[in-house]
Amino acid sequence: MKRVKIAELLKNSTAEDIGKDILLKGWVRTRRDSKNVVFIALNDGSIIHHIQIVADTEKFDEALLKDITTGSSIAVYGKLVESPGQGQSYEVYADKIELYGKSPADTYPLQKKGHSLEFLREIAHLRPRTNTFGAVLRIRHAMAYAIHKYFNDRGFYYLHTPIVTGSDAEGAGAMFRVSTLDPKNPPLTEDGGVDYSQDFFGKETNLTVSGQLEAELGALALGEVYTFGPTFRAENSNTPRHLAEFWMIEPEMAFYDIVDDMDLAEDFLKYLVQYALDNCLDDLEFQQKMFNKQLIQQLEGIVKNKFKRLTYTEAVKILEKSGQKFEFPVSWGVDLQSEHERYLVEQHFKKPVILTDYPKDIKAFYMKMNEDNKTVRAMDVLFPRIGEIIGGSQREENMEKLQKRCKEMGIPEKDVWWYLETRKFGTVPHAGFGLGFERLILFVTGMANIRDVIPFPRTPKNAEF
């Protein structure tokens, strides 16, 4: 007999299916004993809801039923019947049960409900079995699929950019080194430094912080490309917003200016949120019940509202006049903090915001300079609860100006010669942005800590699983 998934059973069954023989497989969430019946809540991960299995104790061996405890895995052969209970349309009367794997009640750590998220982070190998993380991971999958669908349907090409790189796209320096040299006895140069010419790649290499620079190379040949892959930051940040390993989506588009870039970012985000509302409603309703009572309303607000666009300079003036006491003082030229961004979104405009024209001194070397010679054509998309969710810009296409910016920011041309050379041969105006995937999932799921929206979080002192 072919197995039926619980999601398919609950969504597609009709009155004509009543009485049919079916096979279900999954994990026991709970069991409850009555006088002559055992009620088993079975879940197989395909949907947030479980289905009730009704097992007549006279049909089954007592030892078998004793071993069917929370966390154990079973196969159930039985008949689909209408459920007399509230909150469920169907249940299954079991004719035969096979026990795949026991889960001893005295050692299984998920016996009880209501475990803290902090505790669940300590058992990341088991937390996907909880309702919360099942919902988060299904939503994460749906968003990943929607991202690929969005770009594919609009003629973008998926470009795989390198994970091991010799460049620092952000100029931040907080990178993880990749090396095969003996850490206890590395070869040295005459001045006492490590001789990376003897390393595997013949130079110093690191895990990438961004695929953007390489994506630009693809855009200048294919027109419109996007990346979707892991990136790494060696920042010693133990905050609810930072990970050492996270995923980025980075589209790059030839012949786009900053306005085109903003238009794409807004359309992209609205598409993703609408996709979640259309395809993940069961999980969203669960997340709303458990973590954020306004979650679905907030998601609908993203889709319905046109994003407010204003310059960084205008935003600073609003913040300075707000009368709000911020932990970090605001003045022109400082990088805005999450508290500033959230004030603009949640209190002042009450809608998503796109800020443009940031001071050049707080932005990357590759951003196109404005005519005032003080600001660049950058744009950040700000969301409620999250702050910055997208950062992007129009890229500098003029080689001489780009060389000048490299010099001003202390970036050796020898490290980015290949990037500069694209401005030498057939340069065009182009733009792009980066979306932090985990920040998107934070917003869509209503979770508060970024460690709870990635299966296995990588943070300082934590790489256990």
Side-chain angles (χ1 to χ4, degrees), residues 5-25:
K5 289 189 176 182
I6 294 174
E8 180 184 346
L9 181 70
L10 295 180
K11 291 180 178 180
N12 299 333
S13 295
T14 66
E16 296 179 357
D17 296 309
I18 299 298
K20 287 186 176 179
D21 292 325
I22 60 171
L23 167 61
L24 300 174
K25 298 180 180 182

Side-chain angles (χ1 to χ4, degrees), residues 161 197 221 266 296 385:
T161 53
S197 67
E266 181 170 347
I296 293 175
R385 291 193 284 110

